Amino acid sequence: MGYYLKQLRPAKPSHILGRIEVLESRYFEKETIPEVQKQLDREWIEDLSKYPADLLDAACNNWRQSNQNYAPRSAGVLMESVKAEWVRRKVIVTNAESVLNLIKDAQGT
């Protein structure tokens, strides 16, 4: 179970911002006042904080290798390419928890 839970461990905020900053720097960057940039950073962290670092890395890699000629403007758009893997991991954990609970209940009776 520990292995599967590790597969869902969220990325750290510093990892999220680092990946987004590098990805966005490949494209045209508009000038943003510091207060707005801080809010944008907070929103990226909020929107991506549920995803594991390896899925964020894969999504950024997929974006770079796609035919996109602009930076992603939302977490949903960025993470679309790894959505199936994210759902698969969550289902595995849910199923594993159910099996463990059934085993526990069977042992208790």
Side-chain angles (χ1 to χ4, degrees), residues 13-67:
S14 60
H15 185 83
I16 293 169
L17 288 182
R19 295 306 308 220
I20 295 303
E21 183 177 336
V22 169
L23 185 61
E24 287 181 334
S25 69
R26 296 173 159 270
Y27 305 95
F28 172 78
E29 291 187 55
K30 63 181 180 182
E31 283 294 320
T32 305
I33 60 173
E35 294 81 19
V36 171
Q37 187 59 51
K38 283 181 185 178
Q39 182 59 37
L40 289 170
D41 291 348
R42 282 197 280 295
E43 288 177 2
W44 276 115
I45 291 169
E46 179 182 333
D47 296 345
L48 293 171
S49 65
K50 67 182 177 183
Y51 296 102
D54 69 313
L55 288 184
L56 176 58
D57 295 346
C60 289
N61 186 46
N62 293 342
W63 190 272
R64 287 191 321 270
Q65 294 183 22
S66 74
N67 62 356

Side-chain angles (χ1 to χ4, degrees), residues 47-107:
D47 296 345
L48 293 171
S49 65
K50 67 182 177 183
Y51 296 102
D54 69 313
L55 288 184
L56 176 58
D57 295 346
C60 289
N61 186 46
N62 293 342
W63 190 272
R64 287 191 321 270
Q65 294 183 22
S66 74
N67 62 356
Q68 301 294 348
N69 58 2
Y70 57 89
R73 295 292 175 221
S74 72
V77 170
L78 174 62
M79 300 306 287
E80 185 63 31
S81 69
V82 296
K83 184 177 182 180
E85 175 61 16
W86 172 238
V87 169
R88 185 187 74 80
R89 289 181 187 189
K90 291 192 310 184
V91 167
I92 287 172
V93 167
T94 300
N95 290 344
E97 288 172 339
S98 296
V99 168
L100 290 174
N101 285 334
L102 287 172
I103 292 169
K104 182 178 147 186
D105 290 345
Q107 291 174 344

